[in-house]
């Protein structure tokens, strides 16, 4: 009977070795999974939109520091440069009977002056509708009538300092 027990033990050992072999084969067949690195929350700085006052302060700072040879006036009514309210201009060639008065124009955000006269106009506007808004078109038309560079900036764009300075210099030269 001892032989039977020895044979039973051998069978159990053999079954254990076979199971271990099969388990190892199965592990090798599975793709190796690497431990995932700990994910850190991504830090993003969401830049909020500047207010009109912040944009004006930003441009005022640039104009005062980079164009100090000019005096700067802010929110200048078109009539201050264009003259009397009775002055009327044709805005659209497609509507020759329709005229627009200077008083209807958007005030110039900044006017650069030297030697007692205006040298350029800087306008800030929101969105591309700035170019389609009749008030801005009237202001632009009167600036052109006065042979003043009309330099417009869209406030939804980054308007990096170097870009603003370069663009204004381009118009002034």
């Amino acid at each position: 009977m001892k032989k039977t027990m020895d044979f039973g033990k051998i069978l159990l050992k053999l079954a254990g070795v076979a199971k271990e072999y099969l388990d190892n084969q199965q592990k090798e067949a599975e793709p190796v999974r690497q431990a995932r690195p700990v994910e850190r929350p991504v830090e993003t700085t969401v830049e909020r939109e500047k207010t009109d006052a912040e944009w004006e302060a930003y441009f005022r700072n640039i104009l005062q520091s980079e164009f100090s040879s000019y005096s700067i006036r802010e929110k200048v009514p078109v009539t201050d440069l264009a003259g009397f309210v009775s002055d009327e201009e044709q805005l659209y060639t497609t509507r020759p009977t329709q005229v627009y008065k200077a008083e209807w124009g958007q005030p110039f955000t900044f006017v650069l002056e030297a030697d007692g006269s205006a040298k350029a106009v800087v306008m800030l506007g929101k969105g591309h509708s700035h170019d389609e808004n009749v008030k801005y078109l009237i202001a632009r038309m009167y600036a052109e009538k006065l042979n003043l560079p009309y330099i417009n900036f869209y406030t939804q764009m980054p308007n990096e300092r170097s870009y603003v300075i370069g663009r204004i210099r381009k118009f002034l030269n």
Side-chain angles (χ1 to χ4, degrees), residues 25-40:
Q25 289 294 349
Q26 189 175 10
K27 284 180 186 176
E28 288 176 13
E30 289 179 7
V32 178
R33 292 189 179 152
Q34 296 179 344
R36 250 190 175 166
V38 176
E39 289 186 29
R40 296 181 192 173

Side-chain angles (χ1 to χ4, degrees), residues 21-55:
Y21 174 78
L22 289 174
D23 287 345
N24 285 338
Q25 289 294 349
Q26 189 175 10
K27 284 180 186 176
E28 288 176 13
E30 289 179 7
V32 178
R33 292 189 179 152
Q34 296 179 344
R36 250 190 175 166
V38 176
E39 289 186 29
R40 296 181 192 173
V42 177
E43 292 181 27
T44 56
T45 55
V46 176
E47 194 172 309
R48 68 170 180 80
E49 289 186 28
K50 293 179 183 174
T51 65
D52 291 345
E54 289 171 326
W55 275 116

Side-chain angles (χ1 to χ4, degrees), residues 107-157:
F108 300 119
T109 312
F110 297 100
V111 174
L112 300 175
E113 296 179 333
D115 303 324
S117 64
K119 301 298 179 189
V121 171
V122 175
M123 290 292 281
L124 304 181
K126 289 183 179 178
H128 290 288
S129 62
H130 166 178
D131 273 344
E132 298 163 4
N133 185 323
V134 171
K135 288 182 168 218
Y136 284 97
L137 291 174
I138 293 169
R140 173 178 268 171
M141 178 190 53
Y142 278 96
E144 288 173 4
K145 180 180 177 185
L146 297 167
N147 293 319
L148 294 174
Y150 180 93
I151 314 161
N152 62 326
F153 293 92
Y154 300 114
T155 57
Q156 83 275 12
M157 304 304 271

Side-chain angles (χ1 to χ4, degrees), residues 86-112:
S86 63
D87 184 21
E88 296 177 347
E89 277 292 314
Q90 181 180 327
L91 185 57
Y92 300 105
T93 56
T94 57
R95 297 184 229 161
T97 58
Q98 196 166 0
V99 292
Y100 295 87
K101 295 181 179 182
E103 68 183 70
W104 298 341
Q106 178 72 24
F108 300 119
T109 312
F110 297 100
V111 174
L112 300 175

